[in-house]
Amino acid sequence: MPGSELFGAEERKEVQDVLETGVLFRYNHDAQRKGHWKTREFEAALAKFNGVQYAHACSSGSTAVAIAMAACGLGAGDEVIVPAFTYIATIEGALLGGALPVFAEIDDTLCLSVEGIRKAITPKTKAVVLVHMCGSMANIEEIVALCKEKNLVLLEDTAQALGASYKGRAAGTFGKVGCFSFDFFKIITCGEGGGVITNDKALYHLIDQFSDHGHDHVGDNRGMEAHPIIGFNYRIGEMNSAVGLAQIRKIDYILQQQRKHKKAMKAALAKFPQVKFRQIPDENGDSATFMDFFLPDEATTRKVVAALKAEGVANLTGIQYWYDNNYHYIRNWEHLKALKSPAKMPIHLLEKPQDYNNLDLPITENLMSRLISLVVKVAWTDEQLKELTTKIEKALTSALG
Ligand SMILES: *Cc1c(COP(=O)(O)O)cnc(C)c1O
C-alpha cells in the first residue's frame, strides 16, 4: 500500500526547490518563489489523474472531509449516513461540523450497501458519506441512483482509494465531492496532507475559501482580500505538497506493483475453499492496496490470524483484523458511543438519531468478525513475494486443516 516505501531522490528534489526559496506558504510571494508553486502543481496533478475539473489540497484527509461537509452545506442537525467500518475521521468530521452521524450497514464490498442506506434514510437525512474502504469501491451505480432518487448529497471519502475506479471513472468523482488523505500510511503520502475534488465550480470556490479563513484568493494583497464566508485554517504547506507532487508522479507504478503482488496473494488464498473474497464491482478498478478475504466464522478467522502471525507473515506485511482495531470499527469506539468530548458539540444539544450504544448492524458485525486484510506492499522483490505466498499457504493449511 504505502507510497512511503518509495521515498527517494524525486521527493528530495521537490522539497529542495522549496528550501532554496524559503517560501513555505502556498499563496502569494510571487517574486521570491522563483516559479515554484508546489501546491498548485500537486492540485493540477491530482485533478488530472482523477479526470476532474478542480482539486484543492489541504492539511489532512480529516480536514478534507470537514471542508467537503461544510462546502456541501452539511451542518448542525443534518443527518448524514455513514458506515461503522471506516477510519474514525469520517465520523469526527461529521460530528465536529455539527452533523448527526447515522450508521448504516455495509455489504461484502466493505462499503455502505444500497439496502443499508435505504433503511437509514429519515426526513432529516441530507447526505451519504460513502467510504471506499481498503482501496476498492462500493456498488457505486446503485448508490448514485438512490441518492438522486432521494435528493441526497453524495460525499465520497476516498482517503483509502486513490487509483480506484469503476468502469474507468475514478473513485471520488461519482458524488458531489471526493476527499483524499495523503497521511503517512496512504497510497501516496505528503507526510500529512489531503485533497478535495469536484466538478462543481461554485463548490470548488467554497472549498478554497473555507479552507483558508474565507479568503477569496483574488489579487496579490492577502490582507485586503475579500472574505465572502467564515472559514478556518485547513491549509497545506509547500513542503508537504512538494512530497505529494513527487509521489503522485509514481502512482501508476505503485498501482501496477500492487496489482501484480495482490494477484499472487489471491492465487495462494484461492487454494482454500473456506476463503471468500471481498466483492469488487470492477476488478480492473481495484487499487489493490489490501488483500481482503473472509473466513466462515469468527473462531476460524481468529485461528487464521494467529496462524499467519505464527508463520511470520507479520514480519513481511501488515495483518489487519479490523474487528479488534480501535480506530477503524465502531465495536471499540467507547468514547464515541458515549459522545465524550472536551467541549459540547451540536449533537449534545439535539435529539440523537440513533442510540450509538445499541446499534443494530448485524450484517456489518458478521462481516467484520470474519474479515482479514493483508497489506499489499509496493517494493517487494519476487523472492519476498514468493516467501510471503508460501507462508500464507502454510498458515492457512495449518489453521484450516
Ligand atoms: C486516513 C483516513 C482519513 C483521514 O485522513 P488523515 O489524513 O489521516 O487525516 C479519513 N477517512 C478515511 C477513510 C481514512 O482512511
Side-chain angles (χ1 to χ4, degrees):
M1 164 172 185
S4 58
E5 288 176 73
L6 302 180
F7 193 93
E10 302 80 9
E11 284 76 3
R12 282 192 285 276
K13 146 96 183 45
E14 296 301 322
V15 170
Q16 197 57 42
D17 284 348
V18 179
L19 289 174
E20 270 164 20
T21 68
V23 183
L24 309 180
F25 192 58
R26 65 158 300 180
Y27 298 110
N28 311 109
H29 307 280
D30 298 31
Q32 285 142 273
R33 58 196 320 140
K34 301 205 171 95
H36 297 311
W37 296 92
K38 298 304 177 191
T39 305
R40 275 195 200 166
E41 281 185 61
F42 180 46
E43 288 171 341
L46 189 61
K48 182 160 183 246
F49 178 74
N50 287 298
V52 284
Q53 296 268 316
Y54 307 101
H56 180 78
C58 58
S59 55
S60 71
S62 304
T63 59
V65 173
I67 294 164
M69 296 253 328
C72 288
L74 305 167
D78 293 332
E79 286 186 5
V80 297
I81 294 174
V82 296
F85 177 43
T86 176
Y87 180 60
I88 196 164
T90 316
I91 316 303
E92 293 165 338
L95 281 173
L96 293 171
L100 311 177
V102 174
F103 292 92
E105 293 273 33
I106 61 170
D107 60 18
D108 63 355
T109 62
L110 303 182
C111 307
L112 284 171
S113 68
V114 72
E115 303 80 24
I117 296 169
R118 198 180 278 282
K119 276 197 196 136
I121 294 173
T122 77
K124 285 190 196 162
T125 309
K126 286 281 166 58
V128 173
V129 183
L130 181 63
V131 187
H132 300 294
M133 280 303 276
C134 303
S136 185
M137 290 184 63
N139 275 313
I140 192 72
E141 277 181 341
E142 295 168 40
I143 293 173
V144 167
L146 178 64
C147 288
K148 272 211 180 106
E149 177 197 325
K150 301 288 180 184
N151 198 23
L152 302 176
V153 171
L154 178 59
L155 191 158
E156 295 175 77
D157 181 342
T158 35
Q160 299 192 4
L162 180 71
S165 62
Y166 180 75
K167 293 186 181 167
R169 187 166 155 192
T173 66
F174 289 82
K176 207 171 162 69
V177 64
C179 304
F180 292 101
S181 164
F182 309 114
D183 77 22
F184 198 57
F185 308 96
K186 296 303 202 283
I187 302 171
I188 64 165
T189 187
C190 291
E192 298 284 0
V196 187
I197 60 169
T198 185
N199 278 313
D200 181 330
K201 190 174 183 180
L203 189 72
Y204 166 72
H205 284 303
L206 287 176
I207 290 164
D208 177 53
Q209 292 160 4
F210 184 75
S211 65
D212 185 21
H213 309 287
H215 275 268
D216 71 353
H217 301 129
V218 176
D220 59 5
N221 184 345
R222 187 164 163 82
M224 294 310 292
E225 286 175 9
H227 32 54
I229 56 166
I230 294 173
F232 202 45
N233 178 6
Y234 294 128
R235 292 186 309 262
I236 193 168
E238 287 287 275
M239 300 278 275
N240 296 63
S241 293
V243 178
L245 183 57
Q247 286 264 303
I248 201 166
R249 292 177 181 144
K250 298 179 179 178
I251 184 72
D252 290 336
Y253 174 73
I254 292 173
L255 293 172
Q256 172 204 313
Q257 289 295 97
Q258 286 178 170
R259 285 171 181 154
K260 185 175 97 185
H261 296 161
K262 182 166 174 176
K263 205 169 159 189
M265 293 163 84
K266 197 164 182 176
L269 288 164
K271 293 178 183 166
F272 302 88
Q274 298 95 327
V275 168
K276 293 271 172 296
F277 294 110
R278 169 234 190 121
Q279 188 205 141
I280 296 176
D282 178 359
E283 286 277 353
N284 295 325
D286 180 11
S287 79
T289 57
F290 282 100
M291 179 64 251
D292 308 300
F293 58 102
F294 303 100
L295 279 308
D297 53 61
E298 180 181 341
T300 310
T301 311
R302 288 190 183 277
K303 225 169 129 188
V304 169
V305 171
L308 287 166
K309 285 182 182 160
E311 205 52 62
V313 170
N315 301 328
L316 301 172
T317 198
I319 305 167
Q320 299 290 357
Y321 182 50
W322 304 111
Y323 192 56
D324 286 348
N325 187 293
N326 276 350
Y327 287 87
H328 288 82
Y329 181 52
I330 201 167
R331 194 165 75 99
N332 292 336
W333 295 350
E334 298 311 328
H335 64 318
L336 181 107
K337 293 181 209 172
L339 291 173
K340 272 193 203 165
S341 67
K344 221 178 271 176
M345 298 183 288
I347 196 167
H348 291 119
L349 304 173
L350 297 163
E351 195 188 329
K352 286 159 204 60
Q354 283 173 319
D355 176 0
Y356 297 142
N357 281 301
N358 293 295
L359 289 172
D360 184 29
L361 300 169
I363 300 171
T364 303
E365 184 68 10
N366 175 273
L367 287 167
M368 293 308 298
S369 71
R370 300 190 291 110
L371 172 68
I372 298 173
S373 300
L374 299 175
V375 174
V376 180
K377 292 201 179 177
V378 179
W380 282 328
T381 61
D382 289 348
E383 293 71 42
Q384 284 169 324
L385 184 62
K386 185 75 209 144
E387 187 189 350
L388 175 69
T389 53
T390 305
K391 287 188 169 171
I392 291 173
E393 282 185 40
K394 271 194 191 161
L396 269 80
T397 303
S398 84
L400 301 173

